[in-house]
Amino acid sequence: MVRITPGDVGRRVSVRRRVPEGFRDAVGVLESWRDGTLTVRRRDGSLVEIAEETVVAAKVVPDPPARRPSP
């Protein structure tokens, strides 16, 4: 079930998409959604471009827990 819209740009999302090998997930901030392409920025800073027609499920997810400082 796809529960995100272009109005969710700027929010953290989880997106599952079809790929030739099966399915892949991308979790991160939805940077843009235009011309049929979603762009998600992962925690490591990399960008994932996802064709809208391959999306099978997506939702807004909470921010990850804060990292604890090293002792």
Side-chain angles (χ1 to χ4, degrees):
M1 178 180 317
V2 178
R3 297 182 184 164
I4 64 172
T5 69
D8 290 312
V9 168
R11 299 182 76 185
R12 187 167 182 259
V13 297
S14 175
V15 180
R16 176 163 289 174
R17 66 201 184 274
R18 285 185 314 276
V19 296
E21 302 81 29
F23 298 95
R24 296 209 64 188
D25 294 337
V27 178
V29 176
L30 182 60
E31 293 279 322
S32 68
W33 185 339
R34 66 177 90 102
D35 300 328
T37 302
L38 292 76
T39 304
V40 176
R41 183 173 303 277
R42 293 184 170 165
R43 184 179 356 181
D44 67 4
S46 63
L47 289 174
V48 179
E49 290 189 344
I50 302 168
E52 186 175 352
E53 67 269 7
T54 67
V55 175
V56 295
K59 63 183 179 179
V60 173
V61 294
D63 288 334
R67 291 188 177 196
R68 296 177 133 202
S70 307

